[in-house]
Amino acid sequence: EEEGKTDFRTIAGYDTGEKYTSGDFIYQLPDGGDGAMVISYTGTSPEMVIPDTLDDHPVVAIGDQAFNFLGIETATLPDTVRTIGSMAFYQCANLKQVLIRDGVVSIGTCCFGGDPLLEEVTIPESVETVDDFAFLACASLKEVSFGSALKKIGASAFQMCATLSKVSLPETAEIGENAFTDCPADMEIVKQ
């Protein structure tokens, strides 16, 4: 009776089976994928640098909830990464700086939500979508700049970013509902 029954988590891509360890990272090889998806960091350094390969597999994705609640202060992603999953850096209380290299096309739901010290995020030209609540309540974030590839900023993406003073984005980008609610009244949106 249980045979042939498919687990929802597998369908949704949350659980792709076997986990592998390489250095300070745990990763999976999603079915049909073209590389490794990082799902956890076991290191102790507050400066997390994700390599571009793990056991000769290119790192192409950061999994959902991969680094949530970690005490890291900085994060550097390689240019092989294409997607950053939902809640990947959720409530990282000490996270101050993130360098996302060119290649990433999507930033997941609530990816950096609730990171109170996050001041600086380098967002590459390649980013096309920023999902709902992606930077919710990042109270220290001051300025964000998007490249010409940006198509959509999701609902409440920057809600409650209390010190956000300037956002640069393409004229054609779709801005979701409440994307900038509870941001400073004098926040400047520069469309280019």
Side-chain angles (χ1 to χ4, degrees):
E1 195 176 308
E2 290 295 310
E3 206 168 310
K5 188 176 177 185
T6 307
D7 185 340
F8 167 76
R9 289 175 60 82
T10 303
I11 295 172
Y14 295 117
D15 185 357
T16 55
E18 197 165 352
K19 296 170 178 64
Y20 306 90
T21 300
S22 178
D24 292 334
F25 296 93
I26 298 172
Y27 69 96
Q28 291 181 311
L29 300 171
D31 292 340
D34 55 356
M37 176 174 69
V38 176
I39 59 169
S40 186
Y41 173 64
T42 58
T44 57
S45 173
E47 298 174 357
M48 182 181 72
V49 178
I50 301 170
D52 56 4
T53 60
L54 293 170
D55 298 331
D56 295 326
H57 302 288
V59 174
V60 296
I62 306 300
D64 294 347
Q65 302 178 35
F67 312 122
N68 58 348
F69 301 107
L70 287 186
I72 55 173
E73 295 175 10
T74 65
T76 302
L77 281 60
D79 60 8
T80 52
V81 170
R82 300 290 170 257
T83 60
I84 306 173
S86 298
M87 299 174 73
F89 293 89
Y90 177 70
Q91 290 202 351
C92 288
N94 301 325
L95 187 62
K96 295 174 186 167
Q97 184 179 29
V98 176
L99 173 57
I100 303 171
R101 297 191 192 278
D102 204 40
V104 169
V105 294
S106 66
I107 297 174
T109 302
C110 209
C111 183
F112 297 98
D115 292 352
L117 300 182
L118 186 61
E119 292 178 4
E120 187 182 337
V121 178
T122 303
I123 298 176
E125 288 277 332
S126 56
V127 169
E128 296 178 6
T129 58
V130 176
D131 289 344
D132 300 350
F133 310 106
F135 293 90
L136 177 71
C138 288
S140 300
L141 192 60
K142 293 174 177 55
E143 194 172 316
V144 180
S145 182
F146 293 98
S148 58
L150 183 72
K151 295 175 182 165
K152 181 182 178 187
I153 291 178
S156 301
F158 291 91
Q159 188 170 357
M160 297 190 296
C161 288
T163 61
L164 189 61
S165 62
K166 183 179 178 183
V167 177
S168 301
L169 52 104
E171 186 78 45
T172 54
E174 178 187 334
I175 299 175
E177 190 176 358
N178 299 319
F180 299 105
T181 300
D182 300 323
C183 289
D186 60 352
M187 185 194 76
E188 185 182 9
I189 295 180
V190 179
K191 294 188 175 181
Q192 42 214 356

